[in-house]
Amino acid sequence: ATERTLSIIKPDAVAKNAIGEIIARFEKAGLKVVAAKMLHLSEEKAGGFYAEHKERPFYKDLVGFMTSGPVVVQVLEGDDAIAKNRDLMGATNPKEAAPGTIRADFAETIDANAVHGSDSPASAEREVAYFFSADEICPR
Ligand code: CMP
């Protein structure tokens, strides 16, 4: 079925000038960018996004990293978009990511792992709405 998912190109990948190469992978896989913007997240915005991880030992570092530089948030649309994006990204830990995935090719550590993608339909709905209002999404 056609789905929407939230993708974030994280500060490490933006700093590497890899925005275009990463978006090219989404497009080549048949996903369409239906919304996009560049943002430098505040602590409050990044902390709220990752609220489910608040009690995890890596939370503080995660928020620190996500506010360390600009990110590019996008809504990707396509058939099976949530799982397709996760396949393209590879495992959370780049050291475990399959060859040819975004994290294997652009990231070295679990903290600075190049991209985020929604992990379920429920989180996709929450995450898309966290960054985009309805009139910022352009179905095509
Ligand atoms: P992301 O998919 O954006 O969701 C939460 C992030 O926390 C994750 O990617 C990693 O970059 C980061 N993180 C750091 N340590 C861990 C860990 N032990 N388990 C899961 N995520 C971690």
Side-chain angles (χ1 to χ4, degrees):
T2 300
E3 293 175 340
R4 286 179 180 171
T5 189
L6 185 85
S7 163
I8 305 178
I9 301 176
K10 297 188 180 186
D12 58 319
V14 173
K16 278 183 182 162
N17 242 6
I19 297 167
E21 286 187 61
I22 291 172
I23 290 180
R25 291 184 181 210
F26 299 147
E27 293 190 328
K28 283 179 185 150
L31 296 173
K32 291 178 177 177
V33 178
V34 294
K37 57 189 162 191
M38 188 173 229
L39 297 166
H40 195 143
L41 299 176
S42 65
E43 255 187 66
E44 194 187 356
K45 189 82 180 173
F49 181 75
Y50 283 118
E52 65 177 308
H53 295 307
K54 204 164 178 117
E55 305 307 325
R56 306 283 289 276
F58 57 82
Y59 178 75
K60 205 166 179 283
D61 285 348
L62 174 60
V63 173
F65 171 66
M66 290 300 287
T67 57
S68 67
V71 299
V72 178
V73 291
Q74 320 109 66
V75 179
L76 305 177
E77 186 179 84
D79 192 46
D80 212 11
I82 297 165
K84 196 176 268 183
N85 181 37
R86 291 184 73 80
D87 286 349
L88 293 169
M89 290 193 299
T92 304
N93 186 345
K95 292 181 170 65
E96 293 161 9
T101 59
I102 293 168
R103 283 164 170 159
D105 290 346
F106 294 100
E108 283 81 42
T109 70
I110 193 167
D111 295 297
N113 64 352
V115 281
H116 168 85
S118 308
D119 66 2
S120 68
S123 65
E125 191 171 335
R126 179 187 85 87
E127 292 179 0
V128 166
Y130 191 81
F131 283 108
F132 294 96
S133 60
D135 70 344
E136 290 176 313
I137 300 172
C138 304
R140 59 195 182 87

